[in-house]
Amino acid sequence: MKFLRQLFMLSAAIGLLGAGSGAALAAEPAKPKEAPKDIVLKGDAKCTTCHDEADAPEILRIGKTRHGTTADKRTPTCTSCHGESEKHTNHKGSDKPPKPEITFGKNSKNEASARGEACLTCHQGGKRIHWQGGVHANQDVTCTSCHKIHTAHDKVRSKDAQAEVCFTCHKEQRTQISRPSHHPIPEGKMNCTSCHDVHGDNPKMMAKFSVNDTCYTCHMEKRGPFVRTHQPVQEDCSICHNPHGSTITPMLKARAPFSCQECHEPTSHRGNVASMQTTTASTSTNLIARGCLNCHTQIHGTNNPRSDTSERTFRK
Amino acid sequence: MKLKYTLLGTTLLALCLAGQASAAIDAEAAKATGKRNDCFKCHAVDKTKKGPSYKKIAEKLKGKPDAEEKILKNLTTGPKVKLEDGTEEDHKIIDTKDKAEIKNLMDWILAQ
């Protein structure tokens, strides 16, 4: 009997203990759901809840660019460029959600100015101060037409690959650059922005104020000042040269004498017929192979004080 | 001795068949189908997003006779599904009717 009583007490005690722990378990509050965490940028959880590494790893690569420097307070987040896009983020249902407020792809419905606005919020100024008045902006070219924002290797900012981006639209220049006489762009020593300021507003988008000023950056020996100047040289180098490339060295638009004779007496040489079949021996010598430049070696300008009969000889 | 060889043969055959079964799944094609249909916007392989991870789905359904049927129903009929935040939403209907493509996707999910 005593044994039975002890057994009963023991089972009661176990029962109470069990009930107690059960109650304790039941009373334990449910763990609150963790808020989604940012993956790359501050506040990106709003977007990366769906667009994470499983869905779109390519967009997360922004973390490897300067736009991913979270220590910099100016660093934007997804919504800085794409807009708050509430309709997109709050969409429920099996159909496609509406596009974010601002998209930058080929099929974007946003106007070019709206697409550029996000960039210009920070990047207006310096070389881009006149962007809105430039040829590119007026042709609805936007920043993202050339720049890739989500990748560390932005081709247009790389010396080797930049020309390929420009040639996407500038196909004529692509052909010219592959001609025998060209600036060393295919060789990787120059690129389009060596001469062009693509964010500027001068008509030919030159890096300097004019074509000549741009050329003189490297070809300073052509700048002068000279005692005797050749007017077209002073005016615009591209009157005679095609800077993107030509089949005639050195990047000439036309071969001598045709190039020269576009201005200089097309049918004669200083009053004589521009041909070897002339009666006077001296003129014949002047016109050997019709090579104007054989004698007129200093056509960019000369400091030679000697002038026999006129000031346009440009000879040594 | 004879029994030993029989066992060895059976094991090899089983291994070959298992190898064939796993080789039959084209993971890249399955991922491409998933990407095209925005599956990865709600599901990830090993992370709970709006929907459960594929690992979780595979664990839940693996070995069950109606596993494929359940996945197929979700993929093709778009029933109401409960999201991780407690709300309900219509499941997206896959954009293809190619049975082989759908089967490949289902096999890939179950293989996680």
Side-chain angles (χ1 to χ4, degrees), chain A residues 229-233 239-240 255-275 287 290 292-293 296 298-301 310-314:
Chain A
T229 55
H230 193 185
Q231 192 51 43
V233 174
I239 290 175
C240 298
R255 211 176 291 277
F258 308 113
S259 179
C260 309
Q261 287 181 338
E262 280 180 22
C263 301
H264 298 283
E265 301 134 32
T267 55
S268 69
H269 182 258
R270 296 177 64 192
N272 294 308
V273 178
S275 157
L287 295 175
R290 296 182 175 185
C292 312
L293 304 176
H296 303 285
Q298 308 299 103
I299 49 148
H300 291 105
S310 70
E311 288 199 345
R312 59 177 188 174
T313 54
F314 298 112

Side-chain angles (χ1 to χ4, degrees), chain A residues 198-220:
Chain A
V198 293
H199 302 113
D201 72 340
N202 75 49
K204 288 187 177 175
M205 309 204 98
M206 302 312 297
K208 297 287 165 100
F209 178 70
S210 67
V211 171
N212 282 23
D213 282 341
T214 309
C215 302
Y216 294 154
T217 314
C218 298
H219 305 283
M220 58 281 281

Side-chain angles (χ1 to χ4, degrees), chain A residues 36-73:
Chain A
K37 283 180 184 169
D38 296 335
I39 298 179
V40 178
L41 303 171
K42 280 176 191 161
D44 73 10
K46 182 176 186 179
C47 307
T48 54
T49 312
C50 295
H51 305 292
D52 64 349
E53 66 282 358
D55 175 55
E58 67 278 3
I59 67 164
L60 300 183
R61 287 182 206 139
I62 198 166
K64 291 190 174 181
T65 70
R66 285 189 183 182
H67 284 130
T69 313
T70 47
D72 189 338
K73 282 180 184 170

